[in-house]
Amino acid sequence: VMQTTGVVISSWCCLIDNDEATAVDLKEDYRQGTAALANMDADAPVPREAYRKLDSGVIYADLRPGKGEATAAKGSRVNLQWVLRKSNGYFVDSSEVQDSVPFIFNVGDGKAIAGLDQGVVGMKEGGVRRILIPPSLAYVQGLDDGKQGPLPAGFGPRQQMRRVQQVRKDVPGEYIYLEVQLTRLR
């Protein structure tokens, strides 16, 4: 749903072009895998003003603020539940599909894709954030086991991300979407 005065994004997908956000309504088959971020209102409007763009091109919006005083910073160890989507909102993979095993890494240690590393800084435990990552900060080292994560499981999901990285990397407004919930912060 989109209002013409003050753009409100209420679907899983928003298209970013020249720093403008527009909403795209998605069919139910695109919304699979959203249970990984249970207990949140997936259709809650996210005002355009909620999105922040980092100098690197990473864009994020907090869907639910976390609790506590501690925030993720360089060197923090974080556990994330995640949902990965292509820029058209199509579901690729999630931690729920992978037996709800969280993606665990230390911020800044190089085990996460660069866009995620930058996108989680400032999150609090329990917080949920939508992160839009340009291909240049996503799976640039590849999608093989042992590479930067979170890695989609299986040939099909990895092939979808390879296509984004190889064929669509120069398309303006192309992003991968990661919605993450910080479940533990140390």
Side-chain angles (χ1 to χ4, degrees):
V1 175
M2 187 170 78
Q3 299 174 351
T4 54
T5 58
V7 177
V8 175
I9 299 169
S10 66
S11 64
W12 279 96
C13 178
C14 67
L15 302 176
I16 306 295
D17 186 26
N18 297 330
D19 298 330
E20 295 295 320
T22 57
V24 176
D25 289 322
L26 301 173
K27 298 178 186 173
E28 184 60 33
D29 56 329
Y30 285 106
R31 298 174 53 127
Q32 57 185 321
T34 57
L37 300 178
N39 300 325
M40 67 174 274
D41 187 0
D43 292 322
V46 180
R48 181 175 163 210
E49 301 81 41
Y51 285 90
R52 303 284 178 248
K53 187 170 187 178
L54 303 177
D55 293 337
S56 64
V58 172
I59 299 169
Y60 70 89
D62 287 315
L63 304 180
R64 183 173 63 209
K67 297 179 180 169
E69 295 297 317
T71 60
K74 188 172 182 172
S76 299
R77 187 162 184 83
V78 295
N79 292 24
L80 299 176
Q81 294 293 328
W82 54 274
V83 175
L84 174 65
R85 298 179 185 278
K86 294 176 15 179
S87 62
N88 63 1
Y90 190 81
F91 173 81
V92 177
D93 202 4
S94 72
S95 54
E96 183 189 35
V97 172
Q98 297 183 27
D99 298 324
S100 295
V101 175
F103 178 59
I104 303 170
F105 69 101
N106 292 324
V107 178
D109 71 356
K111 292 190 177 164
I113 57 175
L116 179 60
D117 227 4
Q118 296 171 21
V120 298
V121 172
M123 285 186 76
K124 294 182 178 186
E125 192 167 321
V128 177
R129 185 173 279 185
R130 179 179 296 155
I131 306 171
L132 291 71
I133 303 171
S136 62
L137 296 173
Y139 296 102
V140 294
Q141 292 186 7
L143 287 138
D144 300 317
D145 290 338
K147 299 291 184 185
Q148 295 175 319
L151 289 170
F155 178 78
R158 287 187 184 190
Q159 197 63 9
Q160 290 179 50
M161 287 294 100
R162 280 187 190 99
R163 182 167 171 76
V164 170
Q165 289 299 125
Q166 295 168 358
V167 178
R168 299 191 52 86
K169 66 181 176 189
D170 298 323
V171 174
E174 183 71 22
Y175 289 88
I176 66 162
Y177 290 73
L178 267 171
E179 294 199 352
V180 298
Q181 179 177 17
L182 200 158
T183 56
R184 189 167 183 198
L185 175 64
R186 295 172 291 215

